[in-house]
Amino acid sequence: MINHVLDSMNEVITNNYDANHKAIDIVASDNSEPNIIALKGGTVKTVVNNIKGTNHKSKGLDTYGNYVKIKQTDGNTALYAHMKHGSITVKEGEYVEKGETIGTIGETGNAYGKHLHLEIQNKNNIKENPLISLNENSNDSNKLINVQKTEEKTTSNSSDSTLNNNHTNPTTNNLSINQVSHNYKSNEFLSAKKYTHGSIVDALKSINMDSSYNYRKKLAKANGIENYHGSYSQNVKMLKLLKQGNLKKV
Ligand SMILES: [Zn+2]
């Protein structure tokens, strides 16, 4: 099971985490308007609930439209953006349980199409790939994975325009839901579930991958581990992802 963020439990990723978009965008696979539920328990830090509509010229925090920021008990901070005007049901200072409804998916701020923009900031104030949190309890068969931006998108027809959820560059994201699900590929991630020791180098070797410093640096960057210099904590983090099968390939 993934950790859900929609009460409809049919999350599909429409926009990946990368250097320019340190978040993921999520819709319901039936393009419905589900409620957003808390990924993890935590304390509500910020609520903005009074933004009426879409504003593609907005800057800074205004790009989020209506949003909720939750400081989770695991130490990470989750930000849920573009929520429907007036839909937010939680208050600043309140403790929210994992799975509790916090509002409804919407299109406020700098959004194209209804979607949830989810950011996870870790203890070191680094925005890491939210897939790490979403997939932490899942196996290969039910893992949520990045949408594949392939040539197949040219077969999209214009009726899929409601799925243009990329708020940073709408022209690059014409994938229909069917294409998204056909493109599910577990080879997007590296996995060393059988490796039981404590070395990232040996773990990479055990799956016949490049274990050089330079490759690890690239892997670190792709997985939200900033300024990789081979420190113990960075290596432990990378190893944990690898053992979970959640280490994004580069
Ligand atoms: Zn986004």
Side-chain angles (χ1 to χ4, degrees):
M1 285 288 286
I2 68 158
N3 288 317
H4 289 285
V5 283
L6 300 180
D7 66 354
S8 52
M9 298 190 177
N10 56 350
E11 295 90 347
V12 170
I13 295 169
T14 57
N15 194 14
N16 298 336
Y17 172 96
D18 61 32
N20 299 316
H21 182 248
K22 293 191 171 183
I24 53 175
D25 292 342
I26 299 172
V27 298
S29 63
D30 57 357
N31 207 31
S32 58
E33 197 180 271
N35 290 322
I36 293 168
I37 60 177
L39 178 68
K40 300 275 185 72
T43 304
V44 179
K45 290 293 173 195
T46 314
V47 170
V48 172
N49 200 16
N50 61 355
I51 308 293
K52 294 226 164 63
T54 304
N55 179 358
H56 294 151
K57 291 183 177 153
S58 54
K59 295 211 160 55
L61 291 175
D62 291 343
T63 61
Y64 293 134
N66 299 308
Y67 70 97
V68 172
K69 205 171 182 178
I70 296 179
K71 171 82 174 170
Q72 297 175 171
T73 47
D74 68 0
N76 292 344
T77 301
L79 188 149
Y80 306 82
H82 306 317
M83 288 159 81
K84 187 177 178 178
H85 175 235
S87 72
I88 297 174
T89 55
V90 294
K91 292 192 175 64
E92 289 175 10
E94 183 182 337
Y95 183 83
V96 176
E97 301 280 353
K98 173 181 163 73
E100 194 177 325
T101 295
I102 58 176
T104 304
I105 207 164
E107 194 185 348
T108 54
N110 191 11
Y112 291 85
K114 273 179 246 162
H115 72 276
L116 166 65
H117 169 99
L118 175 66
E119 290 182 12
I120 301 289
Q121 194 162 326
N122 70 19
K123 297 176 187 97
N124 303 320
N125 296 322
I126 306 255
K127 287 180 185 172
E128 63 176 34
N129 191 339
L131 277 177
I132 298 166
S133 294
L134 284 163
N135 284 329
E136 67 184 1
N137 298 317
S138 67
N139 58 38
D140 285 343
S141 63
N142 62 13
K143 190 175 281 180
L144 257 188
I145 68 152
N146 285 335
V147 58
Q148 306 280 306
K149 291 181 182 174
T150 67
E151 309 70 49
E152 283 179 49
K153 74 181 179 186
T154 57
T155 61
S156 294
N157 67 45
S158 56
S159 68
D160 294 322
S161 59
T162 52
L163 287 167
N164 271 338
N165 291 293
N166 183 334
H167 73 258
T168 52
N169 188 356
T171 59
T172 62
N173 197 4
N174 297 321
L175 292 170
S176 73
I177 286 297
N178 279 340
Q179 286 165 330
V180 170
S181 45
H182 288 155
N183 281 325
Y184 271 31
K185 283 179 189 165
S186 58
N187 65 6
E188 176 97 3
F189 292 88
L190 295 173
S191 176
K193 288 180 180 164
K194 287 178 185 155
Y195 181 79
T196 55
H197 300 288
S199 158
I200 182 68
V201 171
D202 289 345
L204 285 167
K205 282 180 183 164
S206 77
I207 55 167
N208 298 316
M209 290 301 299
D210 185 354
S211 61
S212 68
Y213 178 79
N214 280 341
Y215 184 66
R216 280 183 280 133
K217 199 171 165 80
K218 285 180 196 161
L219 281 176
K221 195 170 180 195
N223 287 276
I225 303 168
E226 303 281 336
N227 303 317
Y228 182 77
H229 51 278
S231 74
Y232 176 75
S233 64
Q234 290 173 324
N235 285 335
V236 165
K237 188 166 180 188
M238 209 183 303
L239 181 61
K240 189 175 166 195
L241 291 172
L242 185 58
K243 285 182 176 178
Q244 290 169 339
N246 288 335
L247 190 68
K248 193 179 170 192
K249 223 184 230 184
V250 286

